[in-house]
Amino acid sequence: MNHTIEVSKRLEVITKQVKDAEAAIRGFSITRDTAFLRPSMQERSIKIEEEYLHLRQVTKGSPQQQLHLDTLKQLLDNKYKQLAAGETKWRSFRKDTSSVQEGEKSMDKIDRKVQDMMKIEEQHLPEKSEMQRFYSMIWVPAIFISSLIAIFIGIYSYLTLTREYRLQLHIESRLKSYQRDLQQNISLLNKSNEELEQFAYVASHDLQEPLRKISTFSDRLQMKYGSQLPTEANELLERMGGAVARMRVLINDLLLFSRAGRITPENIVKTDLNTLLQQVSSDLEESLQEKKGTIHSEVLPAIEGNPTSLQQLIQNILTNAIKFASPERQLAINIRYQLLKGAALDVPIRENQLEDTFCRLSFEDNGIGFEPAYAERIFLLFQRLHGMSEYSGTGIGLAICKKITDSHHGYIKAYGEAGKGARFIVILPLTQTHQDEQY
């Protein structure tokens, strides 16, 4: 309906402007007043042309109306010429009744063409009016139903959000409760660890005294009465002395384990691994010569850590390699390293360590090796893969290595193949800055 009104309005404006121009020419011819010729016929023609172009745009969806507009365009062009000619003739003060007749005929043709276009628009008006009545009838029910739906959605959203909000509050409350419990458990665990370490130290220290007495009494007994005792008694005394010696070694190793990995932010410094390796190699020089072994190492980087603990870590790994050297070949230990981002490591790391830089140390030897099934077991306390008669030791050395790497927020893994050798991978962060909150 708006379209029909728009077309009718444009046609009326065009007709009115043409008639106004025609009336201006006649008014000037009667009165000779030049005011009737303002605006000029050319300016009037331009305004009529603008309305025509708007009308053509409005009716572009109707091929029939476009054809009528083509005809109307021709009529308007003729009219423009008549108006321009009429203006010139009247200015020269010449009367020409034929021009008036031609103008009237031309105007009649324009009126008929406009009426034809109006009839076309009016033919569609009943159908559009019917559609308007139809939509007017369903408007109220549609708005009512839409309102009901909107109210339902609003109520449902309110209930859902309220439920989610209450659930969120419940979750936050439970999380706070879990955090409090976790903090309490951490405090209890730290206190328990301190008490256990203190107990281990005190127990180990107190056990030294009876061991010393047993060793002293056994030595005195053997020195004073050894010649009088039977051979079997002397053998028993020797076995008792050996047991005491093993017990002393075990207690000392327990003390080492309880003290290993104790680090605080105050004792974390930049440590040159090459210096530590040089010191360890010097300490193990005699054992290496016995096995005719050699250590080949790349130039290692400096990392943050506790120097004493890191030296103990390297010493225990190298001692393990020397102890389990193959009798069939000369021992060769190769030490290499890589600097990798946390995301590139093949170990599970925390999310805040993905962009941290890690030093991946590899200690590889050609010793007797071990079965891959025991790769995790060898890091457990007192776990041995060989009997006491074959290899000495208490099975604490690698457990200490595990404790030291854990305290430095690192990782240690072992790979082995029986009869061919073993490889220990130690992964340590270059800096401990992201780990301060965990000390």
Side-chain angles (χ1 to χ4, degrees):
M1 292 184 70
N2 289 335
H3 172 80
T4 300
I5 294 171
E6 178 73 11
V7 173
S8 299
K9 179 181 176 182
R10 296 290 179 184
L11 289 171
E12 288 177 1
V13 170
I14 290 174
T15 305
K16 181 178 180 302
Q17 289 179 347
V18 173
K19 289 181 177 180
D20 287 346
E22 185 83 14
I25 293 295
R26 293 181 179 179
F28 176 73
S29 67
I30 296 171
T31 63
R32 302 300 179 178
D33 186 358
T34 56
F36 284 101
L37 300 180
R38 290 192 297 270
S40 66
M41 296 301 110
Q42 184 179 1
E43 293 174 346
R44 293 175 185 270
S45 299
I46 292 173
K47 291 183 179 180
I48 295 171
E49 185 67 19
E50 290 176 356
E51 290 295 330
Y52 171 81
L53 293 175
H54 284 303
L55 183 60
R56 195 165 192 92
Q57 183 68 23
V58 171
T59 60
K60 64 181 180 180
S62 173
Q64 188 178 6
Q65 293 286 52
Q66 292 287 303
L67 291 175
H68 283 299
L69 283 174
D70 292 339
T71 305
L72 181 61
K73 175 64 173 172
Q74 295 175 1
L75 296 173
L76 289 175
D77 289 342
N78 291 333
K79 192 63 180 176
Y80 298 155
K81 293 177 182 179
Q82 291 176 0
L83 292 173
E87 182 181 21
T88 303
K89 290 177 181 179
W90 290 119
R91 283 183 181 274
S92 60
F93 300 101
R94 290 188 307 169
K95 293 185 179 181
D96 189 354
T97 56
S98 62
S99 298
V100 175
Q101 294 175 354
E102 289 179 4
E104 290 179 352
K105 290 180 181 179
S106 176
M107 198 64 223
D108 289 340
K109 292 180 180 179
I110 291 174
D111 285 337
R112 284 196 297 272
K113 186 53 64 177
V114 168
Q115 291 301 320
D116 291 341
M117 294 184 69
M118 291 292 291
K119 287 179 181 178
I120 293 174
E121 292 298 325
E122 290 173 357
Q123 289 175 358
H124 298 292
L125 193 58
E127 179 183 352
K128 293 176 181 178
S129 299
E130 187 66 28
M131 291 180 65
Q132 183 190 21
R133 285 194 294 273
F134 171 75
Y135 285 114
S136 298
M137 291 173 60
I138 67 170
W139 180 77
V140 174
I143 292 297
F144 179 73
I145 294 172
S146 301
S147 301
L148 288 179
I149 294 173
I151 293 171
F152 174 77
I153 292 174
I155 295 173
Y156 177 77
S157 301
Y158 173 77
L159 294 176
T160 302
L161 290 175
T162 303
R163 185 171 62 253
E164 292 293 331
Y165 177 70
R166 290 176 179 173
L167 179 61
Q168 185 68 23
L169 289 179
H170 177 70
I171 292 173
E172 289 179 359
S173 175
R174 294 294 297 271
L175 282 175
K176 290 179 181 178
S177 175
Y178 290 149
Q179 287 176 350
R180 287 194 297 269
D181 293 343
L182 182 60
Q183 290 296 333
Q184 292 176 358
N185 290 334
I186 290 174
S187 300
L188 291 174
L189 183 60
N190 290 334
K191 185 177 180 180
S192 177
N193 285 338
E194 291 176 1
E195 291 175 350
L196 285 173
E197 289 181 0
Q198 188 176 7
F199 171 78
Y201 177 79
V202 172
S204 301
H205 183 270
D206 291 345
L207 285 173
Q208 297 281 3
E209 181 59 24
L211 278 180
R212 282 194 293 270
K213 288 183 179 180
I214 293 172
S215 179
T216 300
F217 293 154
S218 174
D219 291 342
R220 288 183 180 180
L221 182 62
Q222 195 168 19
M223 290 175 60
K224 191 172 183 178
Y225 301 105
S227 58
Q228 302 176 17
L229 294 174
T231 304
E232 186 178 355
N234 283 317
E235 291 178 357
L236 290 175
L237 287 174
E238 290 178 1
R239 293 175 64 183
M240 184 172 63
V244 169
R246 290 194 300 275
M247 187 65 179
R248 184 176 289 113
V249 171
L250 182 60
I251 291 173
N252 289 332
D253 285 349
L254 278 174
L255 283 172
L256 284 175
F257 182 79
S258 65
R259 295 169 180 168
R262 288 184 185 176
I263 63 172
T264 61
E266 291 75 21
N267 59 25
I268 293 295
V269 296
K270 198 78 170 178
T271 305
D272 186 2
L273 296 180
N274 298 290
T275 303
L276 297 184
L277 179 61
Q278 208 169 21
Q279 294 173 357
V280 172
S281 300
S282 178
D283 294 340
L284 299 177
E285 184 177 2
E286 186 177 346
S287 300
L288 279 170
Q289 289 177 355
E290 290 179 4
K291 301 289 185 176
K292 298 180 180 181
T294 56
I295 298 176
H296 303 281
S297 174
E298 297 178 345
V299 179
L300 303 177
I303 67 173
E304 288 186 358
N306 181 277
T308 304
S309 296
L310 293 177
Q311 181 175 349
Q312 190 176 13
L313 169 67
I314 296 174
Q315 183 165 343
N316 285 356
I317 293 177
L318 295 182
T319 299
N320 188 79
I322 294 171
K323 182 191 298 185
F324 296 105
S326 174
E328 300 175 357
R329 51 186 174 269
Q330 291 184 351
L331 176 64
I333 303 173
N334 295 308
I335 304 175
R336 299 183 179 86
Y337 85 96
Q338 286 180 293
L339 294 181
L340 299 171
K341 290 291 185 181
L345 297 174
D346 57 350
V347 293
I349 63 171
R350 294 186 303 276
E351 188 173 349
N352 64 340
Q353 288 183 305
L354 292 174
E355 296 301 321
D356 292 352
T357 303
F358 288 79
C359 177
R360 185 179 184 272
L361 296 167
S362 172
F363 299 84
E364 188 172 359
D365 64 68
N366 61 346
I368 63 173
F370 59 87
E371 293 292 341
Y374 301 119
E376 298 293 333
R377 177 182 166 186
I378 60 176
F379 294 111
L380 299 178
L381 198 61
F382 300 125
Q383 292 298 313
R384 297 174 53 88
L385 303 184
H386 306 277
M388 289 286 294
S389 59
E390 297 179 80
Y391 297 95
S392 61
T394 58
I396 295 180
L398 292 179
I400 292 176
C401 292
K402 180 72 166 59
K403 189 174 181 182
I404 292 173
T405 55
D406 288 345
S407 66
H408 282 77
H409 311 97
Y411 310 87
I412 185 170
K413 299 176 71 176
Y415 303 90
E417 189 173 353
K420 293 187 177 181
R423 180 164 57 97
F424 288 86
I425 302 297
V426 177
I427 300 173
L428 297 170
L430 281 187
T431 61
Q432 298 288 325
T433 52
H434 289 174
Q435 326 300 336
D436 292 342
E437 69 278 4
Q438 300 182 25
Y439 287 123

